[in-house]
Amino acid sequence: MDMKMQAFLDKVKDMADKTGKVSRHAAGVAGKKANDLALATRINLQIFDLNTECEALYKEIGKLVYDLHRGAEVTNEEMDEKMAQVDAKQEKLAALRDKLAAKGVQFSTGYRATGFILDEAGKVCGVRFSTSKKDQSGVVDVHARAVVVATGGFASNQSLVREYLSAWERIGCYTAASMGEGHKLCQALGAQLSDMSVTPSVISDLPQAAAWGMFAPTLVVDAQGNRFANEDYMRDLCAACFTQERGYFWTIFDSGISESGQARSAAQVTAKHASRLVGPCDTVEQLASGMGVSGDVLGKTVDRFSSMVEAGKDSDFGRKQFLENLKPPYYALKQFPVRFRTRGGAVVDGGGRLLDANGKAIAGVYCCGAAAQGGGESLTTNGAFGVLTGKAVTEDLGAA
């Protein structure tokens, strides 16, 4: 290993050490003040955004190191610039960490909630967890004046999907974490579940690729080479792929993706899933051959689309965004529709207070996000839901 490579790696190691210390400190603060939940929620959203930005920078730094390993010319200035960006974000994270420390927030992982703890009057006073941590017994009881259930949806729970969404039982799932534990806990406490049969959200199993059509021209066809839905609405398109039993679909694109804001996404996705990628191809016939579809069918699809581009109107499916022709070389990426988000959940009021069958709040228990009815639309809406619930908790504890 040459001196320059060693110097680069030393820089990366120093940055990783500093980052680790920030993360460990942030996770080790003890929780004491329930009346700061709303502020803590807002801070956590900021931390999530900063961590996402740092992850992107880590990947860019890693690529610089690999380029150097391959013999490419990488300057100290390039590496220093990336390091400086990470340092700046880590400083912001440290400041947010200190705010959380002042509010007494603690994060603990590796626990699974198994039931609510009730006092002699039948009021919830905590939650029982199971854990496989070596330094603890298998059962851990956490007592609290208020409990917030925010365990996500139930898209990964095949038995719940079979019960409430049987028409979507045969489609795969993007996540393995949405098991509906919170739904079951709330139901066992006497809460009602609602909207459980509302159609789930469906997306590509390569969700980054699903966004490409918002940044550059694309064309989506089925396994036969035919268009079948509006590319402007990829969730509806993915749902149509499943309900119409088309199996999978192809996103056809050109070099416009690499010149758009999705350049890094395209590079990462196509590199990771090279076995699903066809191209570059100079002609539609070559592309069709690589995709395993009829050249005549795909040719007619492309010609039909081109005629609508010339007319300025997609008279087949109503597409509006990037109604433009693709230019060679062509590429195609195979994708499968998967469910990833459910909408049903426990019935709550506007502050996330869990309601029983009579519409009365169950004291000390709250529910928000995808575990609650009306939640689960996005990170932004779930974050707002969390803030509203945090405010309700502080108000109720203050009035108690």
Side-chain angles (χ1 to χ4, degrees):
M1 182 182 298
D2 62 28
M3 297 288 289
K4 189 172 184 181
M5 171 65 85
Q6 186 61 56
F8 270 55
L9 291 178
D10 288 343
K11 286 186 178 182
V12 174
K13 184 178 183 300
D14 289 341
M15 179 193 69
D17 288 342
K18 288 189 293 183
T19 301
K21 290 175 182 177
V22 170
S23 300
R24 287 191 293 273
H25 190 149
V29 181
K32 297 176 182 177
K33 298 182 180 179
N35 61 347
D36 290 310
L37 281 173
L39 177 59
T41 300
R42 289 194 293 272
I43 294 174
N44 281 326
L45 287 173
Q46 295 176 57
I47 288 175
F48 177 87
D49 289 339
L50 283 169
N51 276 326
T52 300
E53 293 169 8
C54 284
E55 287 293 333
L57 285 168
Y58 297 153
K59 291 177 182 178
E60 293 176 15
I61 291 169
K63 186 177 184 303
L64 287 176
V65 173
Y66 183 71
D67 288 345
L68 183 65
H69 166 70
R70 293 291 299 272
E73 182 62 32
V74 178
T75 66
N76 283 321
E77 288 74 17
E78 289 178 276
M79 180 63 77
D80 289 342
E81 180 186 357
K82 299 298 181 185
M83 296 290 192
Q85 291 180 42
V86 173
D87 287 342
K89 294 184 186 302
Q90 289 298 328
E91 287 179 8
K92 291 181 180 179
L93 281 169
L96 292 172
R97 171 210 67 198
D98 291 340
K99 285 185 179 180
L100 286 177
K103 302 305 178 185
V105 176
Q106 178 181 0
F107 298 96
S108 297
T109 59
Y111 299 87
R112 180 180 294 276
T114 58
F116 289 104
I117 302 171
L118 307 181
D119 62 18
E120 294 179 351
K123 180 180 180 298
V124 172
C125 61
V127 176
R128 170 161 291 183
F129 296 89
S130 63
T131 181
S132 58
K133 291 188 174 184
K134 295 181 179 180
D135 58 339
Q136 295 179 327
S137 63
V139 176
V140 176
D141 288 344
V142 177
H143 294 270
R145 295 171 62 196
V147 175
V148 179
V149 178
T151 51
F154 64 95
S156 312
N157 189 315
Q158 199 68 10
S159 63
L160 287 179
V161 169
R162 183 180 300 117
E163 181 178 356
Y164 295 105
L165 298 166
S166 58
W168 302 89
E169 180 183 357
R170 293 185 298 108
I171 192 173
C173 186
Y174 179 70
T175 175
S178 299
M179 292 300 294
E181 297 101 328
H183 296 66
K184 296 178 182 178
L185 288 173
C186 292
Q187 192 175 35
L189 195 61
Q192 302 299 295
L193 302 182
S194 184
D195 292 341
M196 296 289 282
S197 297
V198 172
T199 300
S201 292
V202 181
I203 194 62
S204 162
D205 66 329
L206 304 179
Q208 302 96 319
W212 292 351
M214 299 172 62
F215 297 87
T218 60
L219 185 65
V220 176
V221 300
D222 64 11
Q224 308 302 318
N226 296 303
R227 282 185 80 210
F228 61 95
N230 186 338
E231 291 90 344
D232 290 346
Y233 304 99
M234 286 301 294
R235 292 177 186 172
D236 293 342
L237 183 147
C238 292
C241 182
F242 173 72
T243 58
Q244 297 171 16
E245 299 186 344
R246 295 177 183 271
Y248 59 87
F249 61 92
W250 294 91
T251 294
I252 302 174
F253 58 99
D254 60 17
S255 60
I257 290 292
S258 62
E259 298 169 359
S260 72
Q262 293 295 293
R264 187 163 61 88
S265 167
Q268 292 173 342
V269 171
T270 55
K272 186 175 181 180
H273 302 280
S275 62
R276 297 201 201 177
L277 180 68
V278 175
C281 298
D282 293 327
T283 67
V284 173
E285 290 75 16
Q286 291 176 357
L287 185 68
S289 177
M291 294 165 59
V293 305
S294 165
D296 290 339
V297 172
L298 186 60
K300 289 178 180 178
T301 297
V302 172
D303 290 343
R304 169 65 179 166
F305 186 73
S306 295
S307 68
M308 292 188 293
V309 169
E310 186 175 348
K313 181 180 180 180
D314 179 2
S315 53
D316 288 345
F317 300 104
R319 179 177 181 173
K320 302 292 184 183
Q321 298 184 77
F322 289 103
L323 189 61
E324 302 173 17
N325 285 318
L326 297 171
K327 301 174 183 178
Y330 305 108
Y331 302 82
L333 184 68
K334 180 188 284 189
Q335 296 156 78
F336 296 85
V338 290
R339 63 176 186 262
F340 79 105
R341 188 172 63 208
T342 51
R343 292 186 172 83
V347 178
V348 298
D349 68 8
R353 300 174 183 87
L354 192 64
L355 305 180
D356 63 17
N358 298 314
K360 181 180 178 180
I362 299 175
V365 186
Y366 305 78
C367 186
C368 62
Q373 176 193 21
E377 286 303 318
S378 67
L379 283 174
T380 303
T381 55
N382 281 343
F385 203 160
V387 170
L388 294 173
T389 302
K391 288 181 177 179
V393 172
T394 58
E395 290 171 2
D396 294 348
L397 291 178

